[in-house]
Amino acid sequence: PIEDLLREMSEGIDNIIVKLFQAQFSNDDAVALYAVGGYGRQEVHPGSDIDILVLAAKPQKMKRQIERFVQSVFDLNVEVGHSVRDVKTCRNEAKHDITVATALFERRYITGDKILSAQLDKVMSSPRLWPADKFFTAKYDEQIKRHKDYDNVEYNLEPNIKTSPGGLRDIHTALWICNRKFGTTDPEKLVELGVLTPTEKQWLVDGRRFLWWVRYGLHLVAERKEDRLQFGHQRDLAQRLGFVDTDGKLGVEGFMHHYYRHVLSLTEVNDILIQHFQEATIPARKTKLVPINERFQLQNAYIGVCHDQVFAE
C-alpha cells in the first residue's frame, strides 16, 4: 500500500538524520529535532523537500553545532527546508503567522531533549493560540486565494496535483481544521464524530491514496519534484499506473478520467467539511429563513429542507 511506502521512506530518512544529529549533539544538550510539513506527516515522495525544525533552549550558544548538523543534512543531496527556534520564538511566530502555526501544530518529534519538547507541547496546546474559529477562518481564506489562481476549476488540462482545487492541499486544509477543532485527522474518527458520512470518508481515503500514487509516480517520471501533471508526463504515468489502451479509449484518457473523478469527489468532501465549520464553528448570530416552497427554504443563503422527511417522501 502507498501508505506503507510513504511511511517507510520517512522512517528511513529519520534513521539517517538521527545519526547525523547524534554526531553533533550529546544527550545533555538542550536541543530537539522535529519533522514538519509533508515529512512531518510522513508523506515523503521521491522528490519531496525534507523540512525540519531544530528546537534549542539557547540557539546562539549552539550555533556552530547546529550549522554543522544542518550542513550534514544538505550533504544528503536532498532539498532541505529548515528553521532554528527556541520555544518562545516558536510561540511568537506561530501567533502571528498561520503558516508557521500550521507547521508547528502538525510537527513530529524525531529525537532530542524530551524536557524541551514537553515545553513546546505545552505552549502549542494552549487554547488561546489560534482558537478553532480563528484558525478555520485563516485557513479558509488561504484556500480561497489559492483556488482563485486556478479560476476555481478542478479539471484544468494540466492540473497541479498538490494545489489545484480538489488536490492534496485541499485535503490538508480540511484535516488541519479538523485537527484544530477535534484533535484528530483520522477519517474513521471523523465519521464517529458525525463530521463525515461513511461514503464521504471513503471518498477522502480513496482519493488521497490515488493522488499519493500519482504524485509518487510523477516524481519518478520527471526525475525531480514535480506537482504539475503536464501533457508530456500523462501518457508515461498512465502506463506506469496500469492504464492500458482499449478499442474505445486510450489509457491516458482513462487515467485522466479517473483523476478528475477522484478530484471532484475530494472537492465535495472539502466543501462539506468547510460548510460544517461555517455552520458549527462560527454559527450565525441569527438564522434568517426565506421560504422557497413547501419543501425547501433558504437558511442564511444555504438551501435547507423544511422538515426532516423531505427526501424520504
Side-chain angles (χ1 to χ4, degrees):
I2 186 65
E3 296 92 335
D4 292 345
L5 181 59
L6 298 182
R7 185 178 63 254
E8 288 170 5
M9 289 187 66
S10 296
E11 291 173 351
I13 295 170
D14 288 352
N15 293 335
I16 295 171
I17 290 183
V18 165
K19 292 179 181 178
L20 297 177
F21 185 88
Q22 292 174 342
Q24 300 297 332
F25 304 103
S26 69
N27 293 332
D28 296 329
D29 289 328
V31 59
L33 180 66
Y34 289 88
V36 293
Y39 177 36
R41 294 188 299 272
Q42 292 190 314
E43 296 178 12
V44 176
H45 294 75
S48 292
D49 297 343
I50 304 302
D51 295 321
I52 56 175
L53 163 66
V54 179
L55 180 70
K58 297 181 179 180
Q60 286 300 320
K61 287 192 174 183
M62 311 185 75
K63 184 176 180 180
R64 292 189 63 183
Q65 290 169 273
I66 293 172
E67 287 177 346
R68 286 196 297 264
F69 164 67
V70 172
Q71 184 58 54
S72 68
V73 179
F74 272 95
D75 290 343
L76 297 175
N77 198 30
V78 295
E79 292 292 328
V80 179
H82 74 284
S83 56
V84 180
R85 302 186 181 103
D86 57 22
V87 173
K88 182 178 179 180
T89 302
C90 285
R91 180 191 62 199
N92 292 340
E93 292 192 14
K95 182 178 179 180
H96 296 99
D97 190 324
I98 186 62
T99 302
V100 174
T102 303
L104 288 174
F105 284 144
E106 65 173 0
R107 70 196 180 281
R108 179 170 60 85
Y109 171 83
I110 298 178
T111 189
D113 188 342
K114 291 187 176 180
I115 295 177
L116 186 64
S117 179
Q119 293 174 10
L120 181 61
D121 291 345
K122 182 178 180 180
V123 166
M124 294 306 299
S125 65
S126 170
R128 292 179 295 177
L129 181 64
W130 287 103
D133 57 345
K134 292 184 178 180
F135 185 79
F136 163 73
T137 300
K139 299 311 292 186
Y140 185 41
D141 287 345
E142 280 186 347
Q143 178 171 293
I144 291 173
K145 293 175 184 177
R146 175 165 47 79
H147 283 187
K148 284 183 179 179
D149 291 338
Y150 298 94
D151 298 322
N152 295 301
V153 173
E154 297 90 347
Y155 44 86
N156 285 315
L157 296 180
E158 293 184 311
N160 188 299
I161 299 169
K162 185 175 181 180
T163 56
S164 288
L168 288 168
R169 185 58 81 213
D170 277 9
I171 300 174
H172 298 154
T173 297
L175 294 181
W176 285 332
I177 294 169
C178 287
N179 192 48
R180 197 67 191 141
K181 176 63 176 179
F182 303 113
T184 183
T185 60
D186 184 346
E188 194 64 52
K189 290 184 179 179
L190 293 178
V191 173
E192 294 174 6
L193 290 167
V195 180
L196 292 176
T197 67
T199 298
E200 292 158 359
K201 181 214 76 171
Q202 204 57 50
W203 289 348
L204 172 60
V205 171
D206 292 346
R208 179 172 60 179
R209 182 180 293 128
F210 180 74
L211 290 186
W212 277 341
W213 271 121
V214 173
R215 192 176 191 225
Y216 194 96
L218 184 56
H219 283 193
L220 294 178
V221 169
E223 298 182 344
R224 59 185 172 84
K225 180 182 178 180
E226 177 61 77
D227 292 323
R228 187 181 173 198
L229 201 51
Q230 300 178 19
F231 293 129
H233 296 314
Q234 288 178 13
R235 186 180 299 275
D236 190 4
L237 189 54
Q239 292 175 346
R240 293 193 184 209
L241 290 173
F243 291 86
V244 298
D245 295 346
T246 66
D247 292 338
K249 182 182 291 185
L250 295 174
V252 66
E253 292 174 343
F255 165 59
M256 293 307 296
H257 176 81
H258 208 61
Y259 172 84
Y260 294 129
R261 182 172 63 82
H262 277 299
V263 164
L264 288 171
S265 294
L266 288 169
T267 297
E268 187 158 342
V269 173
N270 178 271
D271 289 345
I272 289 166
L273 287 170
I274 292 297
Q275 184 173 336
H276 174 86
F277 280 95
Q278 286 175 322
E279 295 177 348
T281 307
I282 314 177
R285 293 181 179 178
K286 185 178 180 179
T287 300
K288 183 179 180 181
L289 300 177
V290 179
I292 298 176
N293 55 32
E294 68 275 15
R295 294 178 299 277
F296 297 99
Q297 60 189 351
L298 290 179
Q299 301 174 354
N300 293 342
Y302 286 105
I303 296 176
V305 294
C306 292
H307 59 86
D308 292 342
Q309 296 303 310
V310 165
F311 293 111
E313 294 174 358

